[in-house]
Amino acid sequence: MTLPSLARFVFGRRPGLIPLRDRIAYAPYLVQLVVTRRCNLRCGYCNEYDRTSGPVPWDDLAARVGRIRELGALALEFTGGEPLLHPRLVDLVRVATQHDFPRRMLISNALLLTDEAIAGLNDAGLTDLQVSVDGARANETTRKTLDTLRERLVRLAEQARFRVVVSAVVGACPPEETLETIDFARAHGLRPRVLLLHGRTGQLEPDATVAHDYRAAMARLGGRGREAGGYRDRLLAGRAAPFRCRAGSRYLYVDEHGDAHWCSQQAARFTRPLLEYGPAELAAQFHLPKGACADRCTIGCARTCSAPDAWRAQG
Ligand SMILES: C[S@@+](CC[C@H](N)C(=O)[O-])C[C@H]1O[C@@H](n2cnc3c(N)ncnc32)[C@H](O)[C@@H]1O
């Protein structure tokens, strides 16, 4: 993003926009918006999908995107379920572009990604795509693997005008396959990333094998793989890695019903309709300590979006 367009984003006026001082102090760096809960896969480690939901209606999504813009969010990421199952996903990205979000993002397993969809996403102004690729060969846990996705990733490398991150969940495939995925991504000019498996509350579940495999993957990634101060190393060493979680403010997860939560894994602990969300909620959630879940949290978005405000008080 250029400096003038960032200045337009920050200082530009639009109806409904919350005051500048509230946006600077509390606006989301990232909002993830579920466009359908339905997924075409059944990954063994995932609890964020079903097989039956329909696409969220267009008018509801358009209203949610508008409210997220009014809250001053810097990045909007469409997720699911599998977002490519939404028939108007490309139109939705176009709406995000028309709203001037500096980053218009998508997270997908890419199994349904056609050349036509890549062209549509280019034209609509997508800036970032995260493709989930766990390893080289499909197994009982995951089919997000190079044997099913290789061709599509090559096409993406050739055709996408947006940044493509290839993201692997460590532990879903044998460790040498994680390394193969990292090498494949690099060889094609895509950006590799690795994630740690979280349990049903977003916490790291200690596992010596996963720790070993994760360290091997990080060694292959080099320094760029570290996120939010390398908190995962501390978690894997069996220690707590407390942080001032700013979820509900700097990071929001908005589900298919339009309810905002701290994250996908703590949905039951905090629910507020997005359309009623305003500066008071952002400020309250910014200052609210989230309790014990923060100490062993491995939700990357919550960690990275909280890091810039680590110096600010909470509670
Ligand atoms: C819920 S999926 C939704 C988007 C899309 N269906 C996909 O597979 O990318 C979003 C991301 O969460 C990751 N994920 C799901 N369950 C996880 C878990 N228990 N631990 C770590 N990452 C997980 C997936 O691998 C994927 O990268």
Side-chain angles (χ1 to χ4, degrees), residues 39 45-46 48 79-83 107-109 130 132 134 144 167 169 195-198:
C39 192
Y45 51 70
C46 185
E48 297 179 42
T79 186
E82 172 46 49
I107 176 164
S108 168
N109 61 45
Q130 179 178 308
S132 308
D134 293 327
K144 300 189 287 200
S167 169
V169 172
L195 301 176
L196 274 176
L197 205 60
H198 58 71

PDB file of all heavy atoms in Angstrom, residues 39 45-46 48 79-83 107-109 130 132 134 144 167 169 195-198, ligand 1:
ATOM      1  N   CYS A  39     -17.679 -26.830   4.696  1.00  0.00           N
ATOM      2  CA  CYS A  39     -16.362 -27.113   4.107  1.00  0.00           C
ATOM      3  C   CYS A  39     -16.473 -28.337   3.213  1.00  0.00           C
ATOM      4  O   CYS A  39     -17.307 -29.218   3.421  1.00  0.00           O
ATOM      5  CB  CYS A  39     -15.317 -27.335   5.201  1.00  0.00           C
ATOM      6  SG  CYS A  39     -13.621 -27.331   4.537  1.00  0.00           S
ATOM      7  N   TYR A  45      -8.097 -32.464  12.497  1.00  0.00           N
ATOM      8  CA  TYR A  45      -7.748 -31.582  13.617  1.00  0.00           C
ATOM      9  C   TYR A  45      -8.659 -30.368  13.724  1.00  0.00           C
ATOM     10  O   TYR A  45      -8.501 -29.534  14.602  1.00  0.00           O
ATOM     11  CB  TYR A  45      -6.291 -31.099  13.475  1.00  0.00           C
ATOM     12  CG  TYR A  45      -5.970 -30.502  12.113  1.00  0.00           C
ATOM     13  CD1 TYR A  45      -6.484 -29.283  11.720  1.00  0.00           C
ATOM     14  CD2 TYR A  45      -5.142 -31.182  11.220  1.00  0.00           C
ATOM     15  CE1 TYR A  45      -6.208 -28.736  10.489  1.00  0.00           C
ATOM     16  CE2 TYR A  45      -4.848 -30.654   9.975  1.00  0.00           C
ATOM     17  CZ  TYR A  45      -5.387 -29.421   9.625  1.00  0.00           C
ATOM     18  OH  TYR A  45      -5.105 -28.888   8.393  1.00  0.00           O
ATOM     19  N   CYS A  46      -9.603 -30.214  12.796  1.00  0.00           N
ATOM     20  CA  CYS A  46     -10.342 -28.943  12.674  1.00  0.00           C
ATOM     21  C   CYS A  46     -11.750 -29.032  13.273  1.00  0.00           C
ATOM     22  O   CYS A  46     -12.466 -30.003  13.056  1.00  0.00           O
ATOM     23  CB  CYS A  46     -10.434 -28.553  11.199  1.00  0.00           C
ATOM     24  SG  CYS A  46     -11.188 -26.925  10.950  1.00  0.00           S
ATOM     25  N   GLU A  48     -13.818 -26.164  12.864  1.00  0.00           N
ATOM     26  CA  GLU A  48     -14.375 -24.893  12.385  1.00  0.00           C
ATOM     27  C   GLU A  48     -15.265 -25.057  11.158  1.00  0.00           C
ATOM     28  O   GLU A  48     -15.430 -24.123  10.387  1.00  0.00           O
ATOM     29  CB  GLU A  48     -13.233 -23.922  12.073  1.00  0.00           C
ATOM     30  CG  GLU A  48     -12.425 -23.568  13.305  1.00  0.00           C
ATOM     31  CD  GLU A  48     -11.275 -22.622  13.010  1.00  0.00           C
ATOM     32  OE1 GLU A  48     -11.460 -21.674  12.239  1.00  0.00           O
ATOM     33  OE2 GLU A  48     -10.180 -22.858  13.541  1.00  0.00           O
ATOM     34  N   THR A  79     -12.963 -16.200   5.576  1.00  0.00           N
ATOM     35  CA  THR A  79     -12.608 -17.551   5.983  1.00  0.00           C
ATOM     36  C   THR A  79     -13.869 -18.392   6.098  1.00  0.00           C
ATOM     37  O   THR A  79     -14.964 -17.977   5.747  1.00  0.00           O
ATOM     38  CB  THR A  79     -11.776 -17.526   7.296  1.00  0.00           C
ATOM     39  OG1 THR A  79     -11.315 -18.852   7.592  1.00  0.00           O
ATOM     40  CG2 THR A  79     -12.573 -16.993   8.483  1.00  0.00           C
ATOM     41  N   GLY A  80     -13.720 -19.629   6.595  1.00  0.00           N
ATOM     42  CA  GLY A  80     -14.868 -20.514   6.731  1.00  0.00           C
ATOM     43  C   GLY A  80     -14.602 -21.530   7.827  1.00  0.00           C
ATOM     44  O   GLY A  80     -13.776 -21.268   8.711  1.00  0.00           O
ATOM     45  N   GLY A  81     -15.158 -22.685   7.677  1.00  0.00           N
ATOM     46  CA  GLY A  81     -15.535 -23.412   6.489  1.00  0.00           C
ATOM     47  C   GLY A  81     -14.577 -23.186   5.323  1.00  0.00           C
ATOM     48  O   GLY A  81     -13.442 -22.795   5.516  1.00  0.00           O
ATOM     49  N   GLU A  82     -15.077 -23.416   4.138  1.00  0.00           N
ATOM     50  CA  GLU A  82     -14.256 -23.165   2.964  1.00  0.00           C
ATOM     51  C   GLU A  82     -14.877 -22.006   2.183  1.00  0.00           C
ATOM     52  O   GLU A  82     -15.947 -22.161   1.563  1.00  0.00           O
ATOM     53  CB  GLU A  82     -14.163 -24.433   2.097  1.00  0.00           C
ATOM     54  CG  GLU A  82     -13.482 -24.224   0.770  1.00  0.00           C
ATOM     55  CD  GLU A  82     -12.183 -23.426   0.859  1.00  0.00           C
ATOM     56  OE1 GLU A  82     -11.319 -23.735   1.688  1.00  0.00           O
ATOM     57  OE2 GLU A  82     -12.034 -22.458   0.079  1.00  0.00           O
ATOM     58  N   PRO A  83     -14.221 -20.843   2.182  1.00  0.00           N
ATOM     59  CA  PRO A  83     -14.825 -19.657   1.574  1.00  0.00           C
ATOM     60  C   PRO A  83     -15.074 -19.778   0.070  1.00  0.00           C
ATOM     61  O   PRO A  83     -15.973 -19.123  -0.455  1.00  0.00           O
ATOM     62  CB  PRO A  83     -13.833 -18.530   1.888  1.00  0.00           C
ATOM     63  CG  PRO A  83     -12.648 -19.160   2.477  1.00  0.00           C
ATOM     64  CD  PRO A  83     -12.980 -20.528   2.921  1.00  0.00           C
ATOM     65  N   ILE A 107      -8.428 -17.031   3.173  1.00  0.00           N
ATOM     66  CA  ILE A 107      -7.757 -18.250   3.612  1.00  0.00           C
ATOM     67  C   ILE A 107      -8.565 -19.426   3.083  1.00  0.00           C
ATOM     68  O   ILE A 107      -9.783 -19.477   3.237  1.00  0.00           O
ATOM     69  CB  ILE A 107      -7.560 -18.262   5.140  1.00  0.00           C
ATOM     70  CG1 ILE A 107      -6.956 -19.576   5.599  1.00  0.00           C
ATOM     71  CG2 ILE A 107      -8.808 -17.975   5.896  1.00  0.00           C
ATOM     72  CD1 ILE A 107      -6.391 -19.470   6.999  1.00  0.00           C
ATOM     73  N   SER A 108      -7.883 -20.362   2.414  1.00  0.00           N
ATOM     74  CA  SER A 108      -8.607 -21.390   1.662  1.00  0.00           C
ATOM     75  C   SER A 108      -7.765 -22.656   1.549  1.00  0.00           C
ATOM     76  O   SER A 108      -6.536 -22.618   1.601  1.00  0.00           O
ATOM     77  CB  SER A 108      -8.892 -20.851   0.249  1.00  0.00           C
ATOM     78  OG  SER A 108      -9.335 -21.877  -0.596  1.00  0.00           O
ATOM     79  N   ASN A 109      -8.483 -23.775   1.328  1.00  0.00           N
ATOM     80  CA  ASN A 109      -7.736 -25.007   1.018  1.00  0.00           C
ATOM     81  C   ASN A 109      -7.455 -25.098  -0.479  1.00  0.00           C
ATOM     82  O   ASN A 109      -6.774 -26.035  -0.919  1.00  0.00           O
ATOM     83  CB  ASN A 109      -8.475 -26.250   1.534  1.00  0.00           C
ATOM     84  CG  ASN A 109      -9.852 -26.428   0.906  1.00  0.00           C
ATOM     85  OD1 ASN A 109     -10.020 -26.288  -0.300  1.00  0.00           O
ATOM     86  ND2 ASN A 109     -10.849 -26.767   1.727  1.00  0.00           N
ATOM     87  N   GLN A 130      -3.943 -17.100   1.804  1.00  0.00           N
ATOM     88  CA  GLN A 130      -3.238 -18.152   2.535  1.00  0.00           C
ATOM     89  C   GLN A 130      -3.825 -19.488   2.129  1.00  0.00           C
ATOM     90  O   GLN A 130      -5.016 -19.738   2.316  1.00  0.00           O
ATOM     91  CB  GLN A 130      -3.388 -17.957   4.041  1.00  0.00           C
ATOM     92  CG  GLN A 130      -2.662 -19.065   4.812  1.00  0.00           C
ATOM     93  CD  GLN A 130      -2.744 -18.889   6.305  1.00  0.00           C
ATOM     94  OE1 GLN A 130      -2.418 -17.826   6.835  1.00  0.00           O
ATOM     95  NE2 GLN A 130      -3.173 -19.915   7.012  1.00  0.00           N
ATOM     96  N   SER A 132      -3.797 -23.463   2.726  1.00  0.00           N
ATOM     97  CA  SER A 132      -3.404 -24.423   3.748  1.00  0.00           C
ATOM     98  C   SER A 132      -2.905 -25.698   3.064  1.00  0.00           C
ATOM     99  O   SER A 132      -3.660 -26.346   2.350  1.00  0.00           O
ATOM    100  CB  SER A 132      -4.602 -24.740   4.648  1.00  0.00           C
ATOM    101  OG  SER A 132      -5.178 -23.540   5.120  1.00  0.00           O
ATOM    102  N   ASP A 134      -0.676 -29.014   4.258  1.00  0.00           N
ATOM    103  CA  ASP A 134      -0.069 -29.607   5.449  1.00  0.00           C
ATOM    104  C   ASP A 134       1.123 -30.509   5.165  1.00  0.00           C
ATOM    105  O   ASP A 134       1.899 -30.802   6.070  1.00  0.00           O
ATOM    106  CB  ASP A 134      -1.134 -30.418   6.209  1.00  0.00           C
ATOM    107  CG  ASP A 134      -2.218 -29.516   6.781  1.00  0.00           C
ATOM    108  OD1 ASP A 134      -1.896 -28.368   7.155  1.00  0.00           O
ATOM    109  OD2 ASP A 134      -3.381 -29.946   6.836  1.00  0.00           O
ATOM    110  N   LYS A 144      -5.186 -31.723   2.499  1.00  0.00           N
ATOM    111  CA  LYS A 144      -4.601 -30.471   2.009  1.00  0.00           C
ATOM    112  C   LYS A 144      -3.114 -30.737   1.811  1.00  0.00           C
ATOM    113  O   LYS A 144      -2.284 -30.393   2.656  1.00  0.00           O
ATOM    114  CB  LYS A 144      -4.843 -29.359   3.027  1.00  0.00           C
ATOM    115  CG  LYS A 144      -6.331 -29.127   3.270  1.00  0.00           C
ATOM    116  CD  LYS A 144      -6.603 -27.907   4.108  1.00  0.00           C
ATOM    117  CE  LYS A 144      -6.263 -28.082   5.546  1.00  0.00           C
ATOM    118  NZ  LYS A 144      -6.947 -27.117   6.425  1.00  0.00           N
ATOM    119  N   SER A 167       0.628 -22.466   4.045  1.00  0.00           N
ATOM    120  CA  SER A 167       0.643 -22.628   5.492  1.00  0.00           C
ATOM    121  C   SER A 167       0.412 -24.092   5.890  1.00  0.00           C
ATOM    122  O   SER A 167      -0.592 -24.683   5.514  1.00  0.00           O
ATOM    123  CB  SER A 167      -0.464 -21.729   6.052  1.00  0.00           C
ATOM    124  OG  SER A 167      -0.678 -22.000   7.387  1.00  0.00           O
ATOM    125  N   VAL A 169       0.089 -27.077   8.935  1.00  0.00           N
ATOM    126  CA  VAL A 169      -0.083 -27.402  10.352  1.00  0.00           C
ATOM    127  C   VAL A 169       0.875 -28.545  10.685  1.00  0.00           C
ATOM    128  O   VAL A 169       0.743 -29.653  10.154  1.00  0.00           O
ATOM    129  CB  VAL A 169      -1.541 -27.814  10.654  1.00  0.00           C
ATOM    130  CG1 VAL A 169      -1.671 -28.325  12.077  1.00  0.00           C
ATOM    131  CG2 VAL A 169      -2.484 -26.636  10.446  1.00  0.00           C
ATOM    132  N   LEU A 195       2.245 -23.669  11.231  1.00  0.00           N
ATOM    133  CA  LEU A 195       1.378 -23.436  12.390  1.00  0.00           C
ATOM    134  C   LEU A 195       1.471 -24.623  13.322  1.00  0.00           C
ATOM    135  O   LEU A 195       1.732 -25.738  12.875  1.00  0.00           O
ATOM    136  CB  LEU A 195      -0.083 -23.315  11.941  1.00  0.00           C
ATOM    137  CG  LEU A 195      -0.454 -22.221  10.955  1.00  0.00           C
ATOM    138  CD1 LEU A 195      -1.919 -22.351  10.567  1.00  0.00           C
ATOM    139  CD2 LEU A 195      -0.200 -20.857  11.576  1.00  0.00           C
ATOM    140  N   LEU A 196       1.206 -24.347  14.596  1.00  0.00           N
ATOM    141  CA  LEU A 196       1.140 -25.441  15.563  1.00  0.00           C
ATOM    142  C   LEU A 196      -0.303 -25.864  15.780  1.00  0.00           C
ATOM    143  O   LEU A 196      -1.200 -25.020  15.805  1.00  0.00           O
ATOM    144  CB  LEU A 196       1.694 -24.975  16.905  1.00  0.00           C
ATOM    145  CG  LEU A 196       3.180 -25.090  17.107  1.00  0.00           C
ATOM    146  CD1 LEU A 196       3.552 -24.494  18.458  1.00  0.00           C
ATOM    147  CD2 LEU A 196       3.630 -26.536  17.022  1.00  0.00           C
ATOM    148  N   LEU A 197      -0.494 -27.129  15.940  1.00  0.00           N
ATOM    149  CA  LEU A 197      -1.836 -27.659  16.192  1.00  0.00           C
ATOM    150  C   LEU A 197      -2.355 -27.137  17.533  1.00  0.00           C
ATOM    151  O   LEU A 197      -1.668 -27.227  18.541  1.00  0.00           O
ATOM    152  CB  LEU A 197      -1.706 -29.176  16.253  1.00  0.00           C
ATOM    153  CG  LEU A 197      -2.921 -30.009  15.930  1.00  0.00           C
ATOM    154  CD1 LEU A 197      -3.399 -29.728  14.525  1.00  0.00           C
ATOM    155  CD2 LEU A 197      -2.569 -31.480  16.082  1.00  0.00           C
ATOM    156  N   HIS A 198      -3.558 -26.573  17.518  1.00  0.00           N
ATOM    157  CA  HIS A 198      -4.141 -26.184  18.801  1.00  0.00           C
ATOM    158  C   HIS A 198      -5.281 -27.134  19.149  1.00  0.00           C
ATOM    159  O   HIS A 198      -5.902 -27.735  18.268  1.00  0.00           O
ATOM    160  CB  HIS A 198      -4.627 -24.731  18.788  1.00  0.00           C
ATOM    161  CG  HIS A 198      -5.650 -24.433  17.727  1.00  0.00           C
ATOM    162  ND1 HIS A 198      -6.936 -24.901  17.786  1.00  0.00           N
ATOM    163  CD2 HIS A 198      -5.559 -23.720  16.588  1.00  0.00           C
ATOM    164  CE1 HIS A 198      -7.601 -24.475  16.731  1.00  0.00           C
ATOM    165  NE2 HIS A 198      -6.797 -23.775  15.968  1.00  0.00           N
TER     166      HIS A 198
HETATM  167  C1  LIG B   1     -10.575 -23.375   9.632  1.00  0.00           C
HETATM  168  S1  LIG B   1      -9.616 -23.216   8.166  1.00  0.00           S
HETATM  169  C2  LIG B   1     -10.707 -22.294   7.142  1.00  0.00           C
HETATM  170  C3  LIG B   1     -10.191 -22.025   5.764  1.00  0.00           C
HETATM  171  C4  LIG B   1      -9.988 -23.180   4.817  1.00  0.00           C
HETATM  172  N1  LIG B   1     -10.996 -24.187   4.855  1.00  0.00           N
HETATM  173  C5  LIG B   1      -8.609 -23.762   4.970  1.00  0.00           C
HETATM  174  O1  LIG B   1      -8.475 -24.964   5.144  1.00  0.00           O
HETATM  175  O2  LIG B   1      -7.646 -22.999   4.853  1.00  0.00           O
HETATM  176  C6  LIG B   1      -8.408 -22.010   8.616  1.00  0.00           C
HETATM  177  C7  LIG B   1      -7.052 -22.534   9.034  1.00  0.00           C
HETATM  178  O3  LIG B   1      -7.136 -23.074  10.327  1.00  0.00           O
HETATM  179  C8  LIG B   1      -6.262 -24.177  10.369  1.00  0.00           C
HETATM  180  N2  LIG B   1      -6.663 -25.051  11.484  1.00  0.00           N
HETATM  181  C9  LIG B   1      -7.829 -25.662  11.654  1.00  0.00           C
HETATM  182  N3  LIG B   1      -7.830 -26.394  12.797  1.00  0.00           N
HETATM  183  C10 LIG B   1      -6.621 -26.208  13.363  1.00  0.00           C
HETATM  184  C11 LIG B   1      -5.994 -26.690  14.566  1.00  0.00           C
HETATM  185  N4  LIG B   1      -6.615 -27.508  15.420  1.00  0.00           N
HETATM  186  N5  LIG B   1      -4.744 -26.274  14.817  1.00  0.00           N
HETATM  187  C12 LIG B   1      -4.092 -25.443  13.977  1.00  0.00           C
HETATM  188  N6  LIG B   1      -4.621 -24.945  12.837  1.00  0.00           N
HETATM  189  C13 LIG B   1      -5.871 -25.335  12.532  1.00  0.00           C
HETATM  190  C14 LIG B   1      -6.444 -24.806   9.011  1.00  0.00           C
HETATM  191  O4  LIG B   1      -5.428 -25.694   8.654  1.00  0.00           O
HETATM  192  C15 LIG B   1      -6.438 -23.582   8.129  1.00  0.00           C
HETATM  193  O5  LIG B   1      -5.120 -23.230   7.792  1.00  0.00           O
END
